[in-house]
Amino acid sequence: MRGPMRALVASLLSLFSLACSAQNAGAAFEDGKHFKTVKTVVKPTDPKRIAVEEFFWYGCQHCFHFEPEISGWVKKKPADVDFIRVPASLGRPEGIAHQKAFYTAEALGVGEKIHKPLFDAIHEKHQPLGTQASLAEFFNAQVGVLPDVFNSTFTGFAVDSRVRRAEQLGKDYMIFSVPTIVVGGKYQTTAQMAGGTYAKMIEVVDYLVEKVRKERKG
């Protein structure tokens, strides 16, 4: 009887251990500590879709180092999640130039061909790319966009409108530093809040995606 009894006790202890682990995992991330509710919650246009918005600035070295982490996550994100990059100016003139560059690239259909190379040029090659003129040269060298096409798009109404929208969204969410992730238009987290690493920040993002999903299901 000792053999079966020991097996039963071991089995119960194993189940207890798993239950404790599951409970701890569920409570691993706390509201107000690892993430927080944004100042102004944005309602989703489609409740079945969950927006994950990354606020970043090309001049930020932390955003540069976070880029591989978030890009890796995007490749395996859940099917109901929409990833959206939102350039933030942080009140800097070069930040506004970088916002316009980001939306100019999107408007011209070269977003993915510009995004990482622009990060690399600034942080690895130390190129001074904080003005319209320098960015026009970069676009021309990188993807062959003619300066007049770049300039007309960069200063155009469509790009200006998107920059204004990004700025307002940052104010609504109270984005004071980057990189910051906002999930479902409701919760935001940073590496510092999440536990000090970008890997932990990604874990919190996954947790928040599931949290928003459950909340919407009621």
Side-chain angles (χ1 to χ4, degrees):
M1 291 296 292
R2 289 183 178 180
M5 182 60 69
R6 287 180 179 177
L8 177 61
V9 171
S11 178
L12 290 173
L13 287 174
S14 176
L15 289 172
F16 178 72
S17 176
L18 288 173
C20 288
S21 296
Q23 184 178 15
N24 290 338
F29 303 120
E30 301 176 18
D31 191 353
K33 181 178 180 181
H34 301 99
F35 64 92
K36 65 180 180 180
T37 302
V38 299
K39 177 185 177 183
T40 303
V41 175
V42 176
K43 292 183 179 180
T45 53
D46 183 354
K48 295 182 180 179
R49 307 295 303 175
I50 301 173
V52 171
E53 299 165 295
E54 179 207 6
F55 286 79
F56 74 98
W57 170 42
Y58 282 117
C60 169
Q61 63 175 335
H62 302 294
C63 297
F64 171 67
H65 291 301
F66 181 56
E67 178 60 25
E69 291 281 352
I70 191 64
S71 293
W73 177 85
V74 170
K75 293 178 182 178
K76 54 185 179 181
K77 67 178 178 61
D80 62 341
V81 170
D82 296 318
F83 176 68
I84 305 166
R85 293 189 177 101
V86 184
S89 72
L90 300 182
R92 304 166 185 258
E94 63 269 33
I96 295 174
H98 290 163
Q99 285 178 313
K100 290 185 176 182
F102 176 82
Y103 288 123
T104 294
E106 285 205 338
L108 296 175
V110 294
E112 291 305 315
K113 294 180 180 180
I114 287 291
H115 185 66
K116 187 177 185 302
L118 183 52
F119 260 134
D120 293 344
I122 293 172
H123 296 282
E124 291 184 344
K125 301 176 182 178
H126 307 292
Q127 296 181 17
L129 296 170
T131 65
Q132 179 179 339
S134 63
L135 288 163
E137 291 181 6
F138 177 78
F139 271 61
N140 181 249
Q142 187 67 34
V143 293
V145 172
L146 296 176
D148 60 338
V149 174
F150 173 87
N151 289 325
S152 62
T153 307
F154 187 91
T155 59
F157 176 77
V159 166
D160 182 66
S161 296
R162 297 192 71 182
V163 166
R164 290 177 183 273
R165 168 59 179 162
E167 286 288 279
Q168 186 58 54
L169 197 59
K171 292 177 181 178
D172 290 342
Y173 289 154
M174 294 186 70
I175 303 297
F176 298 122
S177 65
V178 289
T180 293
I181 298 285
V182 176
V183 179
K186 186 174 183 180
Y187 301 112
Q188 70 170 263
T189 189
T190 64
Q192 184 176 9
M193 292 178 66
T197 68
Y198 297 134
K200 185 63 70 174
M201 185 177 175
I202 293 295
E203 288 183 27
V204 175
V205 169
D206 285 332
Y207 170 82
L208 292 176
V209 166
E210 183 61 24
K211 178 177 175 63
V212 169
R213 188 183 290 120
K214 289 180 179 179
E215 288 176 351
R216 290 184 184 175
K217 289 181 179 179

